[in-house]
């Protein structure tokens, strides 16, 4: 399988390039939840097609700025401050920092053209009718959508989702109402996703994480436990016998 036949939302680059020339930029993003008509929904924003990750549906978020650091220079606190700031800037929703639960950290492969090392937070919207306002520039559209519906729309090629967003939606789809999801993830230690990229025997590109049998050796054909995203051109498939939530 050639690189040109990879899944349209496989944002990762050359498999053979495993050494980054520059560090990934620290960033933070927020899966903001609400309950509507008995269904848990997450806020998603569509990126302007003319900027990085253009056209993708994402959670509110962005890079960690210098002003997000306080006197302690604590990166986790800076990420939390960035999450608060970005939720205001991108959605016009204000929450205090302790409302944000850090549950995951994602680092893309060295070959990724634009690399962000991203802290993922989870929070509940202040109320189900919270009014979202986007700038119409960097963000063109927004929607509240159930995680399961977002995954189905992605499978039908109606929306575009980067792998970290897709996997997050997959996990969120298992829990309802929204407070149950937050309560569940608060019982877990944050999970680190430092992505290793490889191909299997069929040529399908595979993103692997800690716990997968092929992770350390970058071997997508290794037999054993799985913690991977199969990024076939026909659709994503998550296999995670080694890392159940």
């Amino acid at each position: 399988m050639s690189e040109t036949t990879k899944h349209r939302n496989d944002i990762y680059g050359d498999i053979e390039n495993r050494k980054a020339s520059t560090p990934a930029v620290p960033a933070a993003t927020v899966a903001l939840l609400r309950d509507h008509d008995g269904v848990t929904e997450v806020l998603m924003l569509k990126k302007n097609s003319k900027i990085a990750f253009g056209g993708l549906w994402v959670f509110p978020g962005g890079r960690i700025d210098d002003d997000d650091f306080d006197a302690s220079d604590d990166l986790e606190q800076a990420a939390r401050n960035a999450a608060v700031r970005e939720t205001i800037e991108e959605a016009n929703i204000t929450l205090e920092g302790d409302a944000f639960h850090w549950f995951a950290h994602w680092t893309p492969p060295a070959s990724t053209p634009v690399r962000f090392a991203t802290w993922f937070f989870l929070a509940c919207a202040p109320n189900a009718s919270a009014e979202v306002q986007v700038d119409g520039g960097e963000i063109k559209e927004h929607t509240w959508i159930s995680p399961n519906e977002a995954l189905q729309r992605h499978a039908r090629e109606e929306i575009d989702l980067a792998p970290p967003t897709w996997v997050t939606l997959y996990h969120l789809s298992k829990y309802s109402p929204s407070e149950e999801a937050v309560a569940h993830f608060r019982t877990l230690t944050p999970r680190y996703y430092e992505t290793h990229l490889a191909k299997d025997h069929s040529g399908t590109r595979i993103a692997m994480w800690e716990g997968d049998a092929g992770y350390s050796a970058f071997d997508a054909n290794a037999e054993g436990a799985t913690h991977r995203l199969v990024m076939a051109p026909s659709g994503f498939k998550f296999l995670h016998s080694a890392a159940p939530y």
Side-chain angles (χ1 to χ4, degrees):
M1 179 182 296
S2 69
E3 293 291 303
T4 58
T5 60
K6 68 182 186 180
H7 190 280
R8 70 188 191 285
N9 294 155
D10 177 352
I11 62 173
Y12 306 132
D14 182 5
I15 285 175
E16 301 304 322
N17 179 10
R18 298 179 184 171
K19 186 174 181 180
S21 57
T22 57
V25 176
T29 193
V30 182
L32 190 64
L33 305 179
R34 75 172 187 181
D35 297 310
H36 182 67
D37 291 337
V39 177
T40 298
E41 298 177 328
V42 61
L43 177 62
M44 302 206 71
L45 312 175
K46 188 177 183 181
K47 287 279 192 179
N48 188 323
S49 62
K50 297 181 180 179
I51 63 175
F53 304 109
L56 291 173
W57 284 86
V58 300
F59 307 125
R63 70 179 61 217
I64 299 173
D65 292 341
D66 291 342
D67 290 344
D68 294 321
F69 286 89
D70 56 24
S72 68
D73 288 332
D74 181 85
L75 183 55
E76 180 182 342
Q77 185 58 51
R80 190 176 302 276
N81 293 341
V84 172
R85 175 180 53 77
E86 290 285 349
T87 305
I88 296 172
E89 292 178 357
E90 294 197 338
N92 195 38
I93 292 179
T94 301
L95 289 167
E96 297 298 325
D98 58 3
F100 294 81
H101 173 66
W102 169 41
F103 69 98
H105 186 279
W106 285 79
T107 304
S111 60
T112 307
V114 181
R115 299 179 72 239
F116 289 96
T118 306
W119 301 66
F120 275 63
F121 292 90
L122 193 62
C124 291
N127 57 74
S129 59
E131 183 179 355
V132 177
Q133 296 179 7
V134 298
D135 61 14
E138 180 180 345
I139 304 298
K140 287 296 188 181
E141 302 176 46
H142 76 277
T143 189
W144 290 99
I145 187 172
S146 75
N148 189 57
E149 182 182 353
L151 294 172
Q152 291 178 4
R153 291 190 64 189
H154 181 263
R156 296 194 298 265
E157 301 187 0
E158 296 174 1
I159 63 173
D160 294 316
L161 303 168
T165 308
W166 193 98
V167 172
T168 300
L169 289 167
Y170 175 91
H171 287 305
L172 290 176
S173 71
K174 308 299 180 184
Y175 303 98
S176 185
S178 57
E179 289 190 356
E180 179 182 316
V182 175
H184 172 77
F185 285 99
R186 284 189 181 277
T187 67
L188 307 176
T189 57
R191 178 161 290 166
Y192 284 83
Y193 295 85
E194 186 169 345
T195 306
H196 287 184
L197 199 61
K199 286 184 180 180
D200 65 13
H201 288 309
S202 71
T204 299
R205 286 161 59 95
I206 311 291
M208 296 178 290
W209 301 288
E210 187 69 42
D212 191 281
Y215 178 78
S216 297
F218 291 80
D219 180 7
N221 299 302
E223 295 184 0
T226 57
H227 190 200
R228 61 178 59 190
L229 184 66
V230 180
M231 300 183 292
S234 59
F236 285 172
K237 183 178 182 180
F238 188 49
L239 304 176
H240 56 112
S241 67
Y245 264 139

